[in-house]
Amino acid sequence: MDIFRILSRGASLNKNKNKTTDYALPQNNISKSQKSKKDSIVNEVEKETDFFHTKKHHKPIEESKSSKSEEQVVEEEEAPPLEINNEEDARKFRNLHRSKVTGDDNPLPIGSFQDLIGRFQIDKKLLSNLIDNDFIEPTPIQCESIPITLSDRDLIACAPTGSGKTLAFLIPLVQQLVLKNVTKNHGIRGLIISPTNELAVQIFQQFENLVKGKNLKIAILSKQLANKLNNDIVKSSKYDIIVTTPLRLIDLLKAGKIELSKVEQLIIDEADKLFDHGFAEQTDEILNHCTNSKIRKSMFSATIPSGVEEMAHSIMKDPIRVIIGHKEAASNTIDQKLIFTGNEEGKLLAIRQMVQNGEFKPPIIIFLQSITRAKALYHELIYDKINVDVIHAERTPKQRDEVIKRFKNGDIWVLITTDVIARGVDFKGVNLVINYDVPQSAQAYVHRIGRTGRGGRSGKAVTFFTKEDDKAIKPIINVMKQSGCENGFNEWMENMGKLSKNEKKSIKTHEVKRKKISTVPKVIKQKRKQKQDMIEASKRRKQEENNE
Ligand code: ADP
Ligand code: MG
């Protein structure tokens, strides 16, 4: 059976004028009891979130359509933005948002973007750009980070996926740099580093909206720009701010084609990734080129393990540390669930079951552990030119960009991928993340599932596991507990395996060997083989007859 045939049978896809996409499962295929079951799942998923005071603006269309009791509506409209005038107000604010702020002389959070007018003389155009983009009230991480940065303090910030960390560093960056009048071709003053190109592009796009009408020259270090810099067609001093991945920047630094000595604002997004093996050396090299003694540094991520924090402290001056929620928790807008599929074949069966139950509601992202497996699942699901596509490191940047665009537009419903897009990428309306293969660490899990439940929306994350994963699910259960998703797993799952330190390490460094992905049932495979054997035998017979 082809699950996507069921999916495509009556699925409707409405695009509203704002280009966000509303996906709906075929209602005519769902019985009343299935519908009420589906509704109850949706209701269960729609948990209260504190990220956005403006939740009404950012709700998925379907959510606003659902019939809610008046009490629920009243409850949502409560909690007006706090005015924060003193330490006591700040304490209340931090209690409300479960935020912890540590460091010497940390400034009070802001309660609204308007607070920035009185306290930091925020640029009027910057403020109006925010409003024009529908950013009406700051999220908790923005409330805390913006005043810290504008007070010229180094910052280590940890806040859930989809909670608005990008604006938390972009707003003060713009403000800091527009405030100072510098001569033309002064040199790069702001540097943002991101681990992947996709994320760099996204940061740059959000940035462009923010600096509209301001005299700031920003650029993404694309291949084209790198070529121009390499061939001296343009000089790096032309730019005020650069957004880049480490490798491209390092190539230019080595060639002496880019100059970082004027950088006064350095932002490291997805900091734990950039301090992890594979990236740490490159990050260090970049830091060595940032020689301005007045440089201010920030790092952001949804997961900051202690080791990374130690490293951060060693390169920062008296930093303030902000943690929203729990350090190792997922966003509380994501409903998480573990499903035991017995064996590999069980995973496709589980997807079919989700389709039958009305739980397979696009847009969906499916993560697998390797490129080979991602390709294999893609080929299994591609029958009949269905809206499924795949992104992995072997595809060209252009192909990757194209697929992301099509997924965001709603032309692709199901995106199959590896960890290559697990971090940062903001797909607003993703309903469901499926971990077809168990991620190798708690951090990888938090970032993968963080592609849903963004910007205050609700989302769902399902992780399949087999006998082979008895050890690897432990860190995931811990995240689920920290995020308050105790209902997403059973007690027996928790007792499956206790981890020693070595085992933990081994999970992170070794991929689980898995059986190949295939939907073709064994009997059919056997029949095909029999047929093939018969053809071969008949060929041999003919050959023998000819030889005689
Ligand atoms: P994070 O980096 O924390 O994972 P992002 O910065 O990508 O999250 O933001 C997630 C989504 O929330 C984005 O779509 C962004 O436009 C939106 N967003 C950010 N800040 C606000 C705000 N103050 N009001 C409304 N939406 C916001
Ligand atoms: Mg981010």
Side-chain angles (χ1 to χ4, degrees):
M1 182 178 55
D2 174 12
I3 48 164
F4 286 92
R5 218 165 270 148
I6 303 173
L7 237 189
S8 59
R9 209 155 45 200
S12 68
L13 184 131
N14 310 317
K15 284 183 193 168
N16 73 8
K17 287 184 189 107
N18 295 329
K19 272 201 196 148
T20 51
T21 312
D22 176 32
Y23 299 78
L25 257 198
Q27 294 298 324
N28 51 347
N29 287 344
I30 302 174
S31 69
K32 258 194 182 162
S33 69
Q34 275 174 318
K35 179 156 187 339
S36 70
K37 199 168 166 194
K38 195 184 130 210
D39 283 348
S40 76
I41 292 167
V42 173
N43 285 339
E44 204 182 296
V45 174
E46 289 170 2
K47 285 184 186 163
E48 187 55 57
T49 172
D50 291 321
F51 291 160
F52 300 88
H53 304 302
T54 49
K55 269 185 69 190
K56 272 164 83 186
H57 293 273
H58 297 280
K59 272 191 188 158
I61 292 156
E62 190 159 323
E63 203 179 330
S64 59
K65 270 191 264 169
S66 72
S67 58
K68 282 206 164 146
S69 74
E70 271 180 23
E71 286 124 294
Q72 271 174 304
V73 174
V74 170
E75 212 176 77
E76 277 174 13
E77 282 178 354
E78 274 175 10
L82 275 179
E83 260 194 45
I84 302 164
N85 296 317
N86 51 44
E87 288 298 333
E88 180 53 21
D89 293 343
R91 196 191 56 77
K92 278 191 202 150
F93 176 88
R94 287 170 181 155
N95 270 348
L96 181 68
H97 297 295
R98 296 193 303 129
S99 46
K100 249 192 260 124
V101 181
T102 42
D104 301 331
D105 300 326
N106 49 59
L108 295 177
I110 50 167
S112 68
F113 285 133
Q114 280 66 30
D115 283 359
L116 291 169
I117 303 173
R119 281 181 61 188
F120 296 100
Q121 292 77 50
I122 192 171
D123 184 85
K124 296 265 162 49
K125 181 67 187 152
L126 171 57
L127 198 62
S128 74
N129 285 347
L130 282 174
I131 312 286
D132 287 350
N133 283 285
D134 227 6
F135 302 130
I136 315 294
E137 293 292 342
T139 65
I141 188 62
Q142 292 162 6
C143 291
E144 296 286 1
S145 301
I146 297 172
I148 293 172
T149 310
L150 291 179
S151 307
D152 269 329
R153 298 292 300 275
D154 283 0
L155 168 68
I156 302 170
C158 185
T161 50
S163 64
K165 294 187 286 295
T166 318
L167 277 185
F169 59 73
L170 287 183
I171 295 171
L173 177 61
V174 175
Q175 172 70 5
Q176 296 279 60
L177 298 189
V178 288
L179 269 186
K180 291 181 193 161
N181 270 331
V182 291
T183 50
K184 220 176 160 204
N185 293 332
H186 170 91
I188 299 168
R189 296 188 284 151
L191 179 63
I192 303 172
I193 312 173
S194 120
T196 63
N197 199 48
E198 279 80 6
L199 183 52
V201 170
Q202 187 181 290
I203 294 170
F204 180 70
Q205 285 164 348
Q206 196 156 9
F207 210 176
E208 278 188 311
N209 291 331
L210 219 56
V211 296
K212 264 189 196 138
K214 294 312 305 176
N215 197 16
L216 275 183
K217 198 115 181 76
I218 63 169
I220 178 159
L221 199 50
S222 59
K223 214 172 179 180
Q224 291 91 319
L225 179 58
N227 278 339
K228 281 186 186 167
L229 289 164
N230 256 325
N231 296 316
D232 294 320
I233 297 169
V234 284
K235 289 249 174 299
S236 72
S237 59
K238 185 178 160 191
Y239 298 100
D240 293 299
I241 304 162
I242 295 275
V243 187
T244 182
T245 54
L247 208 56
R248 208 163 268 163
L249 181 61
I250 284 175
D251 286 345
L252 287 166
L253 285 169
K254 281 191 177 138
K257 301 290 182 184
I258 201 162
E259 174 59 48
L260 299 182
S261 62
K262 299 274 173 60
V263 172
E264 46 193 89
Q265 302 284 334
L266 172 69
I267 290 138
I268 306 180
D269 196 15
E270 305 294 341
D272 54 329
K273 185 75 190 170
L274 288 170
F275 281 102
D276 202 2
H277 325 279
F279 271 124
E281 244 175 68
Q282 298 172 16
T283 308
D284 196 45
E285 198 168 337
I286 294 169
L287 285 166
N288 286 339
H289 279 85
C290 296
T291 50
N292 186 341
S293 60
K294 294 218 177 89
I295 191 168
R296 204 205 55 77
K297 299 178 185 128
S298 294
M299 52 180 70
F300 284 80
S301 185
T303 50
I304 305 198
S306 330
V308 171
E309 242 195 273
E310 261 171 51
M311 259 191 265
H313 274 276
S314 71
I315 60 150
M316 287 188 166
K317 271 191 302 240
D318 192 19
I320 297 179
R321 172 179 180 262
V322 177
I323 295 178
I324 311 284
H326 191 278
K327 246 174 102 179
E328 203 90 302
S331 165
N332 64 351
T333 51
I334 309 168
D335 184 48
Q336 305 168 53
K337 196 167 154 191
L338 268 176
I339 294 181
F340 181 64
T341 62
N343 50 29
E344 280 302 316
E345 289 87 357
K347 293 180 176 178
L348 275 161
L349 293 177
I351 288 190
R352 279 181 197 143
Q353 198 146 26
M354 290 171 79
V355 175
Q356 303 286 357
N357 295 344
E359 290 175 76
F360 199 80
K361 203 174 135 198
I364 296 169
I365 304 185
I366 307 181
F367 284 100
L368 290 98
Q369 70 187 32
S370 67
I371 297 177
T372 319
R373 286 179 61 77
K375 282 185 196 166
L377 184 64
Y378 169 67
H379 288 296
E380 286 297 327
L381 305 184
I382 190 77
Y383 299 107
D384 306 328
K385 295 184 185 141
I386 300 296
N387 304 323
V388 51
D389 213 329
V390 60
I391 288 193
H392 49 67
E394 281 177 8
R395 301 200 84 176
T396 64
K398 201 167 166 230
Q399 284 173 328
R400 281 156 62 164
D401 280 357
E402 194 55 33
V403 175
I404 285 186
K405 246 186 239 154
R406 292 180 57 219
F407 186 59
K408 281 186 173 172
N409 284 343
D411 299 333
I412 296 165
W413 294 359
V414 180
L415 182 60
I416 298 171
T417 188
T418 59
D419 279 320
V420 71
I421 58 152
R423 278 179 182 258
V425 183
D426 185 41
F427 301 114
K428 274 196 196 77
V430 170
N431 278 318
L432 173 67
V433 168
I434 298 176
N435 286 313
Y436 199 87
D437 298 331
V438 176
Q440 282 175 282
S441 67
Q443 289 83 16
Y445 175 71
V446 168
H447 288 279
R448 276 187 185 184
I449 68 167
R451 294 323 96 210
T452 185
R454 299 180 70 75
R457 291 162 187 253
S458 55
K460 202 167 172 158
V462 168
T463 302
F464 295 158
F465 72 102
T466 64
K467 302 185 284 290
E468 279 81 30
D469 301 302
D470 58 341
K471 298 274 186 325
I473 59 163
K474 202 86 204 167
I476 286 156
I477 290 180
N478 283 342
V479 173
M480 291 172 82
K481 280 188 187 165
Q482 300 289 2
S483 334
C485 283
E486 264 87 0
N487 293 338
F489 59 91
N490 297 332
E491 218 177 301
W492 64 266
M493 297 178 183
E494 209 180 344
N495 297 329
M496 271 181 86
K498 287 245 178 317
L499 289 186
S500 68
K501 251 194 170 166
N502 279 346
E503 279 171 332
K504 241 188 201 172
K505 211 168 161 189
S506 142
I507 292 168
K508 282 190 186 176
T509 47
H510 294 91
E511 244 177 36
V512 175
K513 285 209 173 67
R514 300 184 190 278
K515 251 178 93 179
K516 279 192 177 156
I517 296 169
S518 174
T519 39
V520 184
K522 251 189 194 157
V523 268
I524 296 181
K525 273 188 188 163
Q526 272 167 358
K527 274 190 185 160
R528 277 188 194 165
K529 189 160 184 310
Q530 275 170 4
K531 200 174 161 189
Q532 195 61 33
D533 287 349
M534 275 161 62
I535 295 169
E536 303 271 313
S538 136
K539 273 188 196 162
R540 269 199 308 273
R541 258 199 316 277
K542 270 194 189 148
Q543 190 76 38
E544 280 163 14
E545 277 167 20
N546 286 343
N547 289 345
E548 272 169 12

